[in-house]
Amino acid sequence: MLAVVPTGPGEVGLAEVDEVQPGPDELVIEVAAFSVNRGETFQLETDRPGWRPGKDIAGTIIQGGPRVVAHLPHSGWAERVVVPAHQTAVLPDAISFEQAAALPLAGLTAVRLLRTAGSILGRRVLLTGASGGVGHYVTELAAAAGAEVTAVVSSPERGARLLELGAETLAYDVADATGPFDLVLESVGGRSLPAALTKLRAGGTLIWFGQASREASTLDFFDFFKGPEAAVIKHFHYDSEPADGPDLATLVRLVATGRLHPELGRIEHWTTTGAVLDDLRDRRIRGNAVLTLGREHQ
Ligand SMILES: NC(=O)c1ccc[n+]([C@@H]2O[C@H](COP(=O)([O-])OP(=O)(O)OC[C@H]3O[C@@H](n4cnc5c(N)ncnc54)[C@H](OP(=O)(O)O)[C@@H]3O)[C@@H](O)[C@H]2O)c1
C-alpha cells in the first residue's frame, strides 16, 4: 500500500510500505482523508528510523464497517491504518470525511484545554496563535461556554472567521491586547508568553500549551508585580486520557448538531502533502489542512 514517509529533515514523499497487520482488538480502516498538524511538522524534523507520521484520519472500517474518525499515535498518512476501537468514533452521514479528519488532534486539544481551564462563564480569555487548527476550535467552544475571547492573530484576514465563531475581539500583537484577563491560553512561546503573562489579572491562570515560534521564553520574576501577582502557569499536554474515543464522539456530536465548525483552511490531494506541510510551517494556512486520498481528478 502507499503511505506518506519521511524522506529527509522536514520532507515527505509517497512510498510503498508493508500492508497493515491488525492485532487482536484492532480495526483496519481504509483512509479517505487525514489532517496535518504543526506538532507533526516538528516531529518530522528529527530522524526517527522506521517511524511514519500521521495522527488524524477519517475513513471506513474495511469489509462494510461504518465510517469513522480515529486518532492514532503515528502512521496515519497511509491508504490503510490499524487502530484500536477505543481510539475511534462513528460518523453520521452528515459529517464529511474532510470535516472529520480535521477533528482529532486539534479538537481533542481544544476540549481538554478548556476542561483544564474549568468554568470560563463570564471570564475574559486571551488566546494566542488563534488562527490555527486548535485556535478555531478553542474560540468557538470558549465563546459558547460564555467566555469573552480576545484572539491574537497576525492579520485581520486570519482572524475574520474567529469573529464569526464568537471571538469578542482580535489583537494583532499580544502587547496590544486589552487586559486584564482571567485566563491566558498560550501557544506561541518566545516573547509571546511573557507579554501575555503581564495581561493576566492578579491570581489569574496561564495555560501553556505550545511553542509555535520554536523560541524559548524568558520570564522576569518582577514582571509578576505589574499585574499578574500570584499567577499560576500550567503546562498542558493533550494526551492525558486513557482513550480518545469518548472525546472524539463529543466532537462528532458537536459538529453534527451545528455547535462546532471545523475550519478547513486547505483541502488538497495527498500527493501534495509535502507542499501543504511547507505552507503550514510558513503560516499560510488558517484552521486545519486536510489531505484527501482517492483519485486525484474526479
Ligand atoms: N500541548 C499540546 O498537547 C498540544 C496539542 C496540539 C497542539 N499544540 C501546539 O499548539 C499550537 C497550535 O497548534 P495548531 O495545530 O493549531 O497549529 P497551527 O495550526 O500551525 O497554528 C499556530 C498558529 O500560531 C501562530 N503563530 C504565531 N507566531 C508564530 C510563529 N512564530 N511561528 C508559527 N506560528 C506562529 C500562527 O498564526 P498567525 O500567523 O496568524 O500568527 C499559526 O496559525 C502549536 O504550537 C502546537 O504545537 C500543543
Side-chain angles (χ1 to χ4, degrees):
M1 66 170 186
L2 282 174
V4 176
V5 299
T7 52
E11 303 287 314
V12 297
L14 277 186
E16 277 292 333
V17 299
D18 290 342
E19 189 53 66
V20 290
Q21 301 291 341
D25 304 324
E26 282 186 325
L27 307 168
V28 179
I29 299 171
E30 195 84 44
V31 177
F34 60 81
S35 71
V36 298
N37 297 280
R38 181 162 294 269
E40 292 169 299
T41 70
F42 300 161
Q43 287 185 314
L44 281 164
E45 287 167 18
T46 34
D47 188 26
R48 301 158 177 251
W51 171 87
R52 286 194 281 114
K55 293 172 184 258
D56 296 352
I57 67 108
T60 307
I61 296 175
I62 58 162
Q63 290 163 353
R67 299 164 75 246
V68 290
V69 58
H71 185 236
L72 286 65
H74 51 74
S75 305
W77 303 347
E79 288 183 296
R80 280 170 291 285
V81 300
V82 286
V83 57
H86 62 75
Q87 291 297 103
T88 69
V90 172
L91 295 173
D93 291 343
I95 299 185
S96 69
F97 285 131
E98 289 85 350
Q99 288 175 307
L103 287 175
L105 203 157
L108 292 171
T109 300
V111 163
R112 293 170 186 172
L113 199 54
L114 292 173
R115 204 176 271 152
T116 300
S119 174
I120 49 172
L121 179 59
R123 300 291 185 218
R124 300 198 72 231
V125 175
L126 177 65
L127 171 65
T128 63
S131 67
V134 176
H136 280 80
Y137 291 132
V138 167
T139 297
E140 187 169 15
L141 293 173
E148 185 186 324
V149 178
T150 297
V152 184
V153 294
S154 53
S155 68
E157 298 72 41
R158 290 180 72 78
R161 180 65 179 145
L162 296 168
L163 292 173
E164 291 173 4
L165 293 173
E168 201 71 20
T169 186
L170 302 176
Y172 305 116
D173 190 309
V174 194
D176 296 335
T178 307
F181 294 93
D182 301 290
L183 174 70
V184 170
L185 302 173
E186 215 299 298
S187 66
V188 174
R191 61 174 200 89
S192 174
L193 192 156
L197 188 69
T198 64
K199 304 284 176 177
L200 269 181
R201 67 163 169 75
T205 300
L206 181 149
I207 306 182
W208 188 12
F209 72 100
Q211 195 159 294
S213 67
R214 310 304 301 273
E215 288 166 13
S217 298
T218 304
L219 294 181
D220 187 332
F221 175 82
F222 297 100
D223 278 348
F224 286 70
F225 294 111
K226 294 177 188 161
E229 194 167 341
V232 172
I233 298 179
K234 282 187 190 173
H235 186 263
F236 170 89
H237 187 223
Y238 84 108
D239 204 7
S240 55
E241 303 286 328
D244 294 321
D247 283 340
L248 286 176
T250 296
L251 290 163
V252 167
R253 179 170 55 79
L254 291 172
V255 176
T257 52
R259 286 177 289 169
L260 188 65
H261 298 84
E263 179 61 14
L264 307 181
R266 187 72 67 83
I267 304 176
E268 304 265 2
H269 192 255
W270 75 320
T271 46
T272 66
T273 302
V276 172
L277 288 170
D278 288 342
D279 284 349
L280 182 62
R281 272 189 208 97
D282 294 342
R283 299 160 74 171
R284 289 192 290 265
I285 293 176
R286 278 186 322 101
N288 287 102
V290 171
L291 287 303
T292 58
L293 283 73
R295 282 187 295 135
E296 200 167 352
H297 303 291
Q298 292 182 340

